[in-house]
């Protein structure tokens, strides 16, 4: 409410240019709206974390600087409303609306992403993630946070634009041992072979910072590359998801395609040194799209689709996922002339 700051149940109807809300009497909405929110010039914040005990909020700020706080019944409902309201705000710009829907299931992450920076922000006493005590099957855990709270925090701090991206990013934090699961729900999820199910966007899944989360060193051996193979002209670059050779898990990597000489290198976006973690010559390689109606031999885990394969002249198989069929076609067409 604007005068009395209490919370009331209202029936909302989204139109092309406004959001109407009605009082409910006797389980039915009244015929005339109680009020309206004009969407022209509105800005939307979702998730809105201004109320610590209300994690399911959407905030709308009108062009006259009036704030509306709308609480939904579930995270799924909140995100669905937020997407549709954002689409109505940008109704005159169909390209933006298409981009919003595409981003819902996108692997695209920020180019300059650094997990060290994210963890430092998470530790901040005023703007970081709120640490709480939680009880799980009789066990008490200090300084923990839930999976859904971390997803909300990553989105509200602009590290991700969708819950799908935030879960991917949280999984990377867990893979690099910045955070770890505690309690039954999150620990059991670690047993899944599917990487997308290891981190849970769930209010009952508990996580905490790892002891090593403040250490900036890595025990992994660095891969050495010849300077000449990194000197080629960059033809194409972008984020794709690659299956690992040993653990067969899927990780987001930034791929860089170079010509003269023709090489494809991939980088870990969590590292600040901007050195490739892998790469290979494209001479003599075979590249092909894989059908989405079945999982090929050699591929493990949950494949979202848009998969393609590169076989090197040494018969090493690389399995890679793009975020869309169009992006897969673009990568294949860029790689083929260089083989």
């Amino acid at each position: 409410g604007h005068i009395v700051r209490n919370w009331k149940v209202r029936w909302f109807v989204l139109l092309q240019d406004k959001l109407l809300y009605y009082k409910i009497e006797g389980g039915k909405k009244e015929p005339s709206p109680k009020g309206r929110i004009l969407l022209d010039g509105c800005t939307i914040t979702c998730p809105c974390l201004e109320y610590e005990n209300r994690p399911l909020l959407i905030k709308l700020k009108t062009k006259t600087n009036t704030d509306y706080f709308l609480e939904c019944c579930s995270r799924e409902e909140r995100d669905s409303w937020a997407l549709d309201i954002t689409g109505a705000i940008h109704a005159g710009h169909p390209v933006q609306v298409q981009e919003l829907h595409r981003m819902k299931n996108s692997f695209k992450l920020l180019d300059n992403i650094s997990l060290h920076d994210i963890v430092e922000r998470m530790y901040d006493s005023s703007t970081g993630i709120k640490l709480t005590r939680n009880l799980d099957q009789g066990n008490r855990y200090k300084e923990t946070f839930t999976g859904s709270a971390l997803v909300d925090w990553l989105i509200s701090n602009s590290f991700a634009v969708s819950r799908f991206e935030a879960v991917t990013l949280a999984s990377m934090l867990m893979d690099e041992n910045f955070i770890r699961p505690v309690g039954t729900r999150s620990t059991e999820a670690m047993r899944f072979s599917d990487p997308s199910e290891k981190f849970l966007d769930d209010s009952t899944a508990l996580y905490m910072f790892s002891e090593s989360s403040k250490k900036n060193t890595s025990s992994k051996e660095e891969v050495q590359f010849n300077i000449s193979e990194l000197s080629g002209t960059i033809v194409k670059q972008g984020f794709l998801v690659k299956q690992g050779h040993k653990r067969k898990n899927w990780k987001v990597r930034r791929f860089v395609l170079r010509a003269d000489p023709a090489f494809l290198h991939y980088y870990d976006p969590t590292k600040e040194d901007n050195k490739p973690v892998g790469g290979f010559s494209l001479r003599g390689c075979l590249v092909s799209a894989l059908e989405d109606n079945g999982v090929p031999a050699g591929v493990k885990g949950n494949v979202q689709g848009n998969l393609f394969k590169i076989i090197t002249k040494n018969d090493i198989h690389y399995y890679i996922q793009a975020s869309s069929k169009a992006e897969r076609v673009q990568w294949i067409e860029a790689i083929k002339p260089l083989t």
Side-chain angles (χ1 to χ4, degrees):
H2 285 293
I3 300 172
V4 181
R5 295 287 181 175
N6 56 355
W7 297 86
K8 294 179 179 178
V9 176
R10 294 287 184 257
W11 181 269
F12 279 82
V13 176
L14 176 62
L15 302 179
Q16 187 173 1
D17 58 346
K18 55 181 155 301
L19 192 60
L20 304 178
Y21 52 94
Y22 298 77
K23 287 183 69 174
I24 297 177
E25 294 291 342
K28 296 182 179 180
K29 74 179 181 71
E30 293 188 342
S32 300
K34 176 73 175 174
R36 63 178 185 171
I37 304 171
L38 297 178
L39 297 177
D40 180 42
C42 260
T43 57
I44 184 170
T45 303
C46 178
C48 171
L49 304 182
E50 292 188 27
Y51 289 82
E52 187 173 343
N53 296 324
R54 294 183 181 271
L56 305 178
L57 289 186
I58 296 170
K59 178 182 177 181
L60 286 175
K61 181 185 282 290
T62 68
K63 66 180 179 182
T64 58
N65 289 322
T66 302
D67 290 340
Y68 290 88
F69 294 92
L70 316 177
E71 184 173 34
C72 300
C73 298
S74 67
R75 282 179 168 79
E76 293 77 14
E77 185 182 51
R78 178 195 65 185
D79 295 342
S80 177
W81 270 100
L83 186 73
D84 291 336
I85 291 171
T86 306
I89 291 172
H90 298 291
H93 307 280
V95 174
Q96 286 180 273
V97 177
Q98 290 176 2
E99 181 67 11
L100 284 166
H101 285 274
R102 188 194 67 79
M103 287 192 304
K104 279 188 74 179
N105 290 303
S106 169
F107 282 114
K108 188 176 181 182
L109 297 173
L110 298 174
D111 287 350
N112 57 348
I113 199 166
S114 164
L115 292 193
H116 295 284
D117 292 343
I118 293 174
V119 172
E120 278 191 22
R121 290 274 296 277
M122 287 175 68
Y123 270 108
D124 191 284
S125 58
S126 57
T127 61
I129 192 163
K130 298 289 184 285
L131 302 178
T132 58
R133 292 186 178 186
N134 284 284
L135 184 67
D136 182 89
Q137 294 193 357
N139 296 316
R140 292 185 179 275
Y141 298 99
K142 296 180 180 180
E143 298 188 329
T144 59
F145 46 86
T146 67
S148 54
L150 177 54
V151 169
D152 285 348
W153 186 87
L154 290 169
I155 296 172
S156 66
N157 284 271
S158 302
F159 289 116
V161 298
S162 67
R163 302 195 79 77
F164 184 81
E165 281 191 14
V167 167
T168 304
L169 196 50
S171 299
M172 293 163 67
L173 288 168
M174 198 160 61
D175 283 345
E176 298 300 325
N177 201 32
F178 287 106
I179 63 173
R180 64 183 180 90
V182 291
T184 306
R185 186 91 171 85
S186 57
T187 304
E188 284 184 350
M190 285 291 290
R191 299 173 187 170
F192 285 104
S193 59
D194 179 3
S196 67
E197 295 178 345
K198 287 185 177 179
F199 181 86
L200 300 177
D201 180 5
D202 192 294
S203 59
T204 63
L206 301 180
Y207 298 88
M208 67 188 304
F209 289 112
S210 300
E211 292 297 323
S212 60
S213 60
K214 285 189 173 182
K215 296 178 182 178
N216 294 323
T217 58
S218 173
S219 60
K220 292 182 180 179
E221 184 180 350
E222 290 190 4
V223 181
Q224 299 296 322
F225 293 92
N226 192 311
I227 295 176
S228 64
E229 68 185 70
L230 298 171
S231 64
T233 304
I234 294 178
V235 176
K236 185 175 177 60
Q237 59 181 317
F239 287 95
L240 297 165
V241 182
K242 173 188 167 293
Q243 181 178 260
H245 288 293
K246 294 180 181 178
R247 295 176 60 190
K248 302 297 182 185
N249 56 349
W250 294 90
K251 290 188 176 182
V252 176
R253 292 290 180 251
R254 181 171 65 87
F255 279 79
V256 177
L257 177 63
R258 292 181 172 91
D260 299 322
F263 274 84
L264 184 63
H265 293 99
Y266 47 94
Y267 299 72
D268 185 343
T270 68
K271 306 300 181 186
E272 297 176 334
D273 56 14
N274 200 33
K275 294 179 181 178
V277 294
F280 51 90
S281 170
L282 291 173
R283 296 300 179 196
C285 282
L286 297 174
V287 56
S288 60
L290 298 176
E291 296 299 326
D292 296 339
N293 57 358
V295 179
V299 174
K300 293 186 178 181
N302 182 27
V303 179
Q304 300 290 330
N306 311 313
L307 189 70
F308 64 99
K309 178 172 69 172
I310 301 175
I311 305 174
T312 69
K313 64 180 180 180
N314 297 324
D315 200 34
I316 298 173
H317 293 225
Y318 290 86
Y319 295 98
I320 302 168
Q321 292 186 61
S323 62
S324 67
K325 288 185 178 180
E327 186 181 46
R328 177 174 66 179
V329 169
Q330 291 170 8
W331 274 98
I332 292 174
E333 290 181 348
I335 290 170
K336 273 188 175 179
L338 302 177
T339 61

